[in-house]
Amino acid sequence: MTKPPENQNRGISARLLDQPYLLLILAPLFWGGNVVAAKLVVGEIDPILLLASRCVLATAVILPFAWRYLLADWAVVRRHWLVLMAFGAIGYALFNVFLYMGLTTTTAVNSAIEQASLPMLILGANFIVFRVRARLIQIVGVLLAISGVILTATHGDPTRLLTLDVNVGDGFVILACLAYTTYTLALRFRPKMHIMSFMAVSFFGAAVTGVIMLAFSGGGLGQVTTLAHASPTVWAVIAYVAIFPSMFSQVSYARGVELVGANRAAPSHNLIPVFGTLGSVIILGERLELYHYIAAAIIICGIVLAEWAARRKISAQA
């Protein structure tokens, strides 16, 4: 009898983890869906309660998968637990609570487009903080991306900045982007450990931060009792944001980087605002205004210029 091919004996999840470009599409798809899901329940659940629920559930979901890695990395965890928890507090808790608060008063489309500036903000922050050399054309790309964010935040009228007439929701989304930029820059100091160990401890840090935020918010910890009467939509959103943007996206992206390298994987981040915008239009029924198209075009031009300059720099060094 002929022996079946080896890949037929492997599970679906194992074969999926060998498809780098599918993984690098799934990760931004789930991250982009975070915006759409949170906007879907605005008015039904407090943003801080949504954040705390997400982080606590995400920690509970990941612990069984990360347990054996935590045991292997326990010496590192004991030595750096405070730093590891801080990663979660800033990169997961602060980013998402600012994002969810922003979505209460701005559109999901605006939020998605503003997040498109993240690669450029990270590039600019690297230059300012770590003096990572950047070419003039990369700096131009950063400035273009920032101008696109300003155009979006002012709803197509940058002169509103002169009177500080900016939607507070857009301001919160920009704060979210700055929090994630800080988290990304700090990753260069991440202790050497398995990605699952890192995620488990940082998720726990985010969960602790979320619960503390909830305790000091207007409704306090008593808001948790309102979940007993929450709609199926609210529970579906909590489950989605706790599992897909939190765990599956992180694992998919980490595996994609492992298979094709960071340089080839990095552009996949640019799909986050694409999926976020599409979801906002298709699922939420939001409208795209002229300033959205202009801002998106400006940000895309900035990203293209920066990517082109980075590739030229790599080619010159080769």
Side-chain angles (χ1 to χ4, degrees):
M1 185 175 179
T2 306
K3 184 180 178 180
E6 184 181 343
N7 62 0
Q8 287 185 10
N9 294 325
R10 304 177 67 208
I12 294 175
S13 60
R15 294 200 298 271
L16 176 63
L17 289 173
D18 284 339
Q19 306 297 321
Y21 294 106
L22 176 58
L23 293 171
L24 292 173
I25 290 173
L26 289 177
L29 173 63
F30 297 146
W31 277 323
N34 183 40
V35 174
V36 180
K39 186 65 176 179
L40 201 59
V41 292
V42 166
E44 290 193 61
I45 182 172
D46 181 83
I48 300 178
L49 178 57
L50 176 59
L51 179 277
S53 303
R54 166 187 176 154
C55 293
V56 170
L57 182 55
T59 304
V61 169
I62 197 173
L63 275 177
F65 298 97
W67 192 252
R68 64 189 181 99
Y69 301 106
L70 278 170
L71 292 177
D73 290 328
W74 191 244
V76 180
V77 172
R78 287 185 60 186
R79 191 161 56 248
H80 300 289
W81 67 270
L82 191 58
V83 172
L84 293 168
M85 289 180 67
F87 277 113
I90 296 170
Y92 301 147
L94 279 185
F95 169 75
N96 282 294
V97 80
F98 283 145
L99 179 63
Y100 295 162
M101 290 173 69
L103 285 167
T104 61
T105 54
T106 193
T107 65
V109 169
N110 268 31
S111 173
I113 292 175
E114 284 156 359
Q115 287 182 76
S117 67
L118 269 173
M120 296 296 95
L121 290 177
I122 293 167
L123 177 65
N126 262 314
F127 174 71
I128 294 170
V129 177
F130 297 117
R131 292 292 184 255
V132 175
R133 293 184 61 183
R135 294 190 172 201
L136 177 61
I137 198 165
Q138 288 177 298
I139 296 172
V140 171
V142 171
L143 295 176
L144 279 173
I146 291 173
S147 66
V149 170
I150 291 173
L151 187 65
T152 305
T154 57
H155 293 212
D157 183 11
T159 60
R160 292 170 62 179
L161 279 179
L162 300 176
T163 57
L164 299 180
D165 183 19
V166 178
N167 186 303
V168 66
D170 293 297
F172 274 121
V173 175
I174 292 170
L175 284 176
C177 292
L178 293 176
Y180 200 80
T181 298
T182 302
Y183 163 77
T184 304
L185 263 62
L187 282 175
R188 64 166 56 198
F189 305 113
R190 193 192 89 174
K192 291 184 178 179
M193 60 196 306
H194 195 278
I195 183 64
M196 295 298 286
S197 302
F198 174 73
M199 287 171 58
V201 183
S202 57
F203 278 15
F204 180 71
V208 171
T209 304
V211 171
I212 292 173
M213 286 181 181
L214 188 62
F216 286 94
S217 67
L221 293 176
Q223 291 185 75
V224 174
T225 60
T226 64
L227 292 175
H229 310 289
S231 69
T233 302
V234 169
W235 279 107
V237 165
I238 290 174
Y240 173 82
V241 299
I243 296 172
F244 290 91
S246 298
M247 184 174 171
F248 285 178
S249 285
Q250 298 287 351
V251 172
S252 296
Y253 186 72
R255 177 60 174 164
V257 169
E258 182 182 346
L259 292 174
V260 301
N263 286 339
R264 291 167 65 188
S268 67
H269 280 96
N270 299 329
L271 291 173
I272 298 174
V274 174
F275 288 129
T277 301
L278 286 175
S280 303
V281 173
I282 296 170
I283 298 174
L284 302 175
E286 293 186 356
R287 290 180 54 190
L288 285 171
E289 305 292 345
L290 178 61
Y291 72 85
H292 288 134
Y293 292 103
I294 297 173
I298 291 172
I299 293 172
I300 290 170
C301 285
I303 291 171
V304 169
L305 283 175
E307 287 285 341
W308 178 70
R311 290 180 184 277
R312 283 193 62 187
K313 184 177 180 180
I314 292 172
S315 298
Q317 291 174 345

